[in-house]
Amino acid sequence: MTIPAVDSIEMPEVLTIGVLALQGAFIEHIHYLQRLDIQGHRINAIAVRTKPELESCQALIIPGGESTTIQLVAAHTPGLLEALQAFVRDPKRPVWGTCAGMILMAESDGIGGGKVIKGREARGWGGIKGLKVWRNLYGTQLESFEIGLIIPGLSNPSKPFNLIFIRAPAVHSLTRPPGTWQDSSDSSNPTPVDSSNPTSVDSSNPSTSTETLCTLPIECQPPAPPSDSPLGAPNIDDLGKVMIRQGRKMVTSFHPELSGDVRIHEYWVKKCVLGRL
Amino acid sequence: MSSEPTVVPSSNGLPVTANGTLTPNVIQRGVSAGQGGSGGAGGTFGVKTGLAQMLKGGVIMDVMNVEQARIAEEAGASAVMALERIPANIRRDGGVARMSDPGMIKKIMEAVSIPVMAKVRIGHTVEAQILQSIGVDYIDESEVLTMADDQHHIGKHAYKVPFVCGCKNLGEALRRISEGAAMIRTKGEAGTGDVVEAVRHQRAVMSDIRRAAAMSDDELYAFAKELSAPYHLLKETARLKRLPVVSFAAGGVATPADAALMMQLGCDGVFVGSGIFLSGDPAKRARAIVQAVTHYNNPAVLAEVSTDLGEAMVGISVAGEGEKILGGRLAGRGN
């Protein structure tokens, strides 16, 4: 099954794609974007540290780093945090979050894990509807790992992609807005999981249709987080989902920008930014 | 999208697919991630350098207890260095400085979500084994502690936990990387609050990289000999026009302006040791240094964050004290 193209929005010939550069591995994303060869467009990749820089962008990448640091620096930079939240929530704006960026793409009450001081809970920016994440669920640096997996949908799909997980977050649960679910990686069950709603792919509203693009093999999946947290019970079937797309938004809990392979950047620009089939 | 699961061989030959099915289906969740088992590979150089990449553009702060660790995390530190005595106190106290109590390090690991680093003495392989076994995220093989071996550094490739090491120049940086360091920092002169040595070391590294980048292959062989550095690492450095691993500033950074200066000189991030918790208002200074590292090229922001910070650490002038400096010149330890 193929996800429908997102609403077509005319993108200029020169695409200005911002990479949030408050802290973390932003320069790699900029270098990878510069290496892309996208027919009909030139990519102008810029570092975003201020509100005016964000406003000049058609699309945004939120890189890996420390989510608490990125959040705090954004809050201390005048006007930036509010502008970022608005950008991330606007369904017309293409946004991709990697690792720490995935944490920040969660629902506002959708961040769990970590050592939280009451009243200072981390708040997601709400990029992916229904997404709750658990920080560092894979553990400390000793549990960081890499694995080569096939990701259908990339160019040259038979070549495995090297997924690098660094103290990675995991999906706690991905709730399914009625009529908006499909899961291309769940090949054993091509029909929607929600059996009460047999026509659950709503092609008339592609901005909220959700697609899981890559799931880890079970032996690499993290242990389940506690079920008595403020996030509610985790969904065991969602824990291994490491690459998710919802309309123009995408998240990866691993680091494509460290892999030496630009195919996921290419995928995001073509599918989420340009809305190509 | 393909509806057929595509099968690729995993490291132990079990077929693995991107949709999460696995044959035979007997392996349990989480048993091998990061353990180098059947699914993923942990402790690879890519995984070890990967964490350093995530720390870039950030500030790593020395903390001596849980309360300070929380202040650092809330101020936006991208990691903390857990140690019983910050370098200025090591200078004051004299005597032998060793690895901190593992119990104290574990308490800090339990208190914060950001990565926790800890220091071992140069060449002390057993202190490193202990820190790896308690699960710290990074080990600093540090000249700030007393040397345990004055001939050998730790062979760092053998460990799953990554190491950061100090350097004064390019040759020393490449020797440490050759031994397995996944991250480099300047040595500077820790515990002084005087940034001059960190500036000297960073300028020395960058100047030698610029020289190497302009050299022919024949010249690189001779330059490698001159630096006492492995040729292949020098060649890679010349190609990249930067160190092949993440490199931070350390040793004497005390103000937001110091931190931004080191960033402008080409560092990827900054360690701040004694400078924060020996100052008048640690939380405010910590926040200001974090902002300064992000906005290091924006003088208007730097002016704002440098305002009303209270007293900086008193500091010791390295040039003024010379070799008589309290506690000695730490940067000379290890080469």
Side-chain angles (χ1 to χ4, degrees):
Chain A
M1 297 207 311
T2 304
I3 197 164
V6 291
D7 299 315
S8 77
I9 293 174
E10 262 327 292
M11 282 290 174
E13 189 197 334
V14 177
L15 289 171
T16 299
I17 299 181
V19 181
L20 191 61
L22 303 180
Q23 189 269 325
F26 50 84
I27 198 72
E28 288 77 8
H29 278 298
I30 291 174
H31 290 160
Y32 280 40
L33 288 170
Q34 287 166 343
R35 279 166 60 189
L36 294 182
D37 183 14
I38 305 288
Q39 203 191 351
H41 293 275
R42 271 195 311 117
I43 292 178
N44 173 34
I46 66 165
V48 171
R49 294 186 178 88
T50 62
K51 187 179 172 197
E53 285 167 347
L54 179 65
E55 284 166 347
S56 72
C57 297
Q58 275 96 42
L60 180 72
I61 295 178
I62 308 172
E66 284 303 318
S67 60
T68 50
T69 306
I70 294 172
Q71 174 96 16
L72 282 162
V73 177
H76 290 146
T77 305
L80 184 60
L81 183 59
E82 297 73 24
L84 279 167
Q85 286 169 337
F87 194 106
V88 163
R89 282 180 190 151
D90 182 347
K92 295 189 178 68
R93 299 286 202 169
V95 182
W96 172 19
T98 58
C99 194
M102 164 165 144
I103 296 173
L104 295 168
M105 287 284 275
E107 292 273 25
S108 68
D109 60 353
I111 300 179
K115 284 81 179 182
V116 184
I117 298 161
K118 260 224 165 331
R120 297 196 172 242
E121 293 84 358
R123 312 289 286 175
W125 298 349
I128 301 243
K129 292 181 179 56
L131 176 67
K132 293 182 178 179
V133 300
W134 198 269
R135 296 165 65 190
N136 305 135
L137 187 60
Y138 290 85
T140 68
Q141 175 63 11
L142 284 178
E143 278 83 45
S144 292
F145 66 103
E146 55 185 307
I147 182 172
L149 286 182
I150 296 287
I151 302 179
L154 302 186
S155 61
N156 191 9
S158 62
K159 183 182 164 202
F161 197 95
N162 191 36
L163 286 68
I164 301 175
F165 294 83
I166 308 288
R167 290 169 39 91
V171 175
H172 167 279
S173 52
L174 184 58
T175 50
R176 306 162 183 199
T180 59
W181 184 254
Q182 61 170 281
D183 192 337
S184 72
S185 75
D186 189 358
S187 56
S188 63
N189 187 5
T191 53
V193 177
D194 184 358
S195 57
S196 67
N197 187 357
T199 53
S200 79
V201 176
D202 181 358
S203 55
S204 69
N205 187 9
S207 67
T208 54
S209 72
T210 308
E211 186 182 23
T212 300
L213 299 160
C214 183
T215 303
L216 277 180
I218 188 93
E219 83 278 14
C220 288
Q221 292 184 14
S227 53
D228 58 354
S229 81
L231 270 61
N235 184 349
I236 297 295
D237 295 332
D238 291 336
L239 292 181
K241 294 179 175 175
V242 294
M243 181 175 177
I244 294 164
R245 176 182 167 200
Q246 189 178 74
R248 292 181 173 270
K249 317 295 183 190
M250 191 168 90
V251 289
T252 52
S253 61
F254 55 96
H255 293 286
E257 77 283 7
L258 300 182
S259 63
D261 190 333
V262 299
R263 287 179 297 160
I264 293 181
H265 288 76
E266 179 192 25
Y267 177 93
W268 177 71
V269 170
K270 284 188 175 166
K271 305 278 178 169
C272 297
V273 179
L274 296 173
R276 290 182 185 165
L277 281 172
Chain B
M1 306 291 156
S2 166
S3 61
E4 282 297 306
T6 321
V7 176
V8 292
S10 65
S11 54
N12 72 344
L14 285 178
V16 173
T17 70
N19 71 358
T21 57
L22 177 106
T23 328
N25 196 10
V26 290
I27 297 177
Q28 287 178 353
R29 177 182 304 279
V31 293
S32 73
Q35 302 303 314
S38 59
T44 60
F45 200 63
V47 166
K48 293 201 280 194
T49 52
L51 178 54
Q53 306 276 12
M54 295 311 130
L55 299 173
K56 284 189 304 186
V59 182
I60 301 170
M61 303 181 192
D62 279 3
V63 297
M64 294 182 286
N65 53 47
V66 165
E67 188 199 353
Q68 291 183 351
R70 292 213 175 107
I71 291 171
E73 180 169 39
E74 283 193 38
S78 59
V80 291
M81 176 79 69
L83 74 177
E84 283 164 339
R85 290 182 295 166
I86 52 178
N89 294 353
I90 290 173
R91 286 188 182 281
R92 183 198 64 201
D93 295 349
V96 176
R98 311 180 179 90
M99 175 186 80
S100 299
D101 180 343
M104 171 265 179
I105 298 167
K106 278 196 321 225
K107 277 192 199 131
I108 288 174
M109 291 166 61
E110 282 158 18
V112 295
S113 317
I114 54 179
V116 176
M117 303 184 168
K119 290 184 194 290
V120 299
R121 284 179 267 177
I122 290 173
H124 206 311
T125 52
V126 174
E127 286 186 348
Q129 289 158 22
I130 290 169
L131 289 187
Q132 172 162 287
S133 86
I134 67 169
V136 300
D137 293 299
Y138 242 91
I139 294 176
D140 184 4
E141 187 183 19
S142 177
E143 72 284 356
V144 168
L145 305 183
T146 309
M147 290 179 84
D149 186 328
D150 61 2
Q151 300 293 318
H152 308 93
H153 280 71
I154 296 170
K156 292 167 275 285
H157 283 297
Y159 293 78
K160 261 185 91 167
V161 63
F163 282 75
V164 54
C165 289
C167 76
K168 301 182 291 296
N169 52 51
L170 180 59
E172 193 175 6
L174 296 181
R175 287 193 292 280
R176 295 296 88 77
I177 296 166
S178 161
E179 294 156 2
M183 180 175 177
I184 289 292
R185 55 173 176 78
T186 60
K187 283 183 165 171
E189 200 52 62
T192 61
D194 186 348
V195 79
V196 66
E197 293 298 305
V199 168
R200 185 201 312 280
H201 299 159
Q202 180 61 18
R203 282 207 179 269
V205 169
M206 295 309 291
S207 159
D208 276 349
I209 290 174
R210 280 187 284 269
R211 282 174 66 201
M215 284 182 181
S216 70
D217 255 11
D218 313 359
E219 291 168 329
L220 278 177
Y221 282 112
F223 195 37
K225 194 164 64 181
E226 182 188 325
L227 295 177
S228 303
Y231 165 78
H232 72 282
L233 288 176
L234 181 60
K235 170 94 175 155
E236 180 66 359
T237 302
R239 185 181 73 80
L240 296 169
K241 297 188 172 65
R242 57 154 295 144
L243 284 176
V245 301
V246 167
S247 100
F248 267 49
V253 175
T255 68
D258 288 350
L261 170 64
M262 297 310 298
M263 295 298 289
Q264 289 191 6
L265 290 174
C267 291
D268 294 318
V270 175
F271 283 88
V272 185
S274 317
I276 289 174
F277 288 101
L278 281 187
S279 72
D281 188 343
K284 192 170 184 188
R285 182 166 296 262
R287 276 199 305 274
I289 294 176
V290 169
Q291 292 292 314
V293 168
T294 296
H295 298 289
Y296 67 91
N297 265 332
N298 188 334
V301 172
L302 296 174
E304 200 187 310
V305 301
S306 300
T307 304
D308 278 338
L309 285 185
E311 268 181 64
M313 70 179 284
V314 175
I316 305 169
S317 161
V318 175
E321 301 290 327
E323 297 306 315
K324 288 197 202 112
I325 192 167
L326 181 67
R329 293 290 284 261
L330 305 181
R333 295 174 177 173
N335 189 38

